[in-house]
Amino acid sequence: MASFKIGRLSEDIKRELSLLIRELKDPRISKMLSIIRCEVSGDLSHCKVNVSALEGEAATKESIKGLNSASGFLRRELGNRLHLRKCPELHFIADGSIAYSAKINNILKELDTEDENSAD
């Protein structure tokens, strides 16, 4: 039964953090930052937030510095918006999945154009 609550809370945190990040005015935080995944621990005290920036890995790491400095504000706002008695501590982790998927997409496009050229 608790796994349903943890899963629901993870999705709620992901949704609210996506909205809150847009409100932050820190110049280190990328405008094209995406939250990939949120994992809340079983005791609801920690939350791993995987983030990725479209600009690349350097922008993601710089954004994490800004997010870590704003983690107190983000935590307070999450607690207020989700009506949590105890809001989990946020741990931001760089995730290169967006860049990796873009790379795979480019490879597939190249293969598709090669197939079209060889068919002609």
Side-chain angles (χ1 to χ4, degrees):
M1 192 67 157
S3 65
F4 293 119
K5 180 180 181 181
I6 291 172
R8 190 174 62 235
L9 182 62
S10 294
E11 289 301 314
D12 288 343
I13 288 174
K14 180 180 175 182
R15 184 188 67 240
E16 291 298 328
L17 272 178
S18 295
L19 296 173
L20 282 169
I21 286 175
R22 304 297 169 236
E23 297 175 10
L24 295 176
K25 295 183 173 101
D26 194 333
R28 295 177 289 184
I29 298 174
S30 171
K31 299 297 180 192
M32 300 298 287
L33 190 70
S34 297
I35 296 177
I36 305 300
R37 182 178 351 156
C38 289
E39 296 176 20
V40 179
S41 65
D43 61 352
L44 306 178
S45 62
H46 297 279
C47 179
K48 293 180 185 176
V49 182
N50 295 351
V51 297
S52 181
L54 201 57
E55 291 92 359
E57 192 172 336
T60 304
K61 289 184 180 184
E62 190 66 25
S63 295
I64 287 177
K65 291 177 186 176
L67 290 171
N68 284 331
S69 68
S71 65
F73 168 77
L74 293 172
R75 197 171 166 197
R76 184 187 73 215
E77 287 297 314
L78 278 176
N80 289 339
R81 291 182 180 197
L82 298 176
H83 306 291
L84 298 174
R85 182 176 296 178
K86 181 182 176 195
C87 188
E89 186 177 337
L90 302 172
H91 304 281
F92 297 100
I93 301 167
D95 191 346
S97 62
I98 290 180
Y100 182 70
S101 63
K103 180 180 175 183
I104 289 175
N105 193 23
N106 287 336
I107 292 171
L108 290 174
K109 283 183 182 179
E110 288 175 8
L111 290 174
D112 188 39
T113 56
E114 287 176 9
D115 287 343
E116 288 176 2
N117 291 339
S118 65
D120 292 336

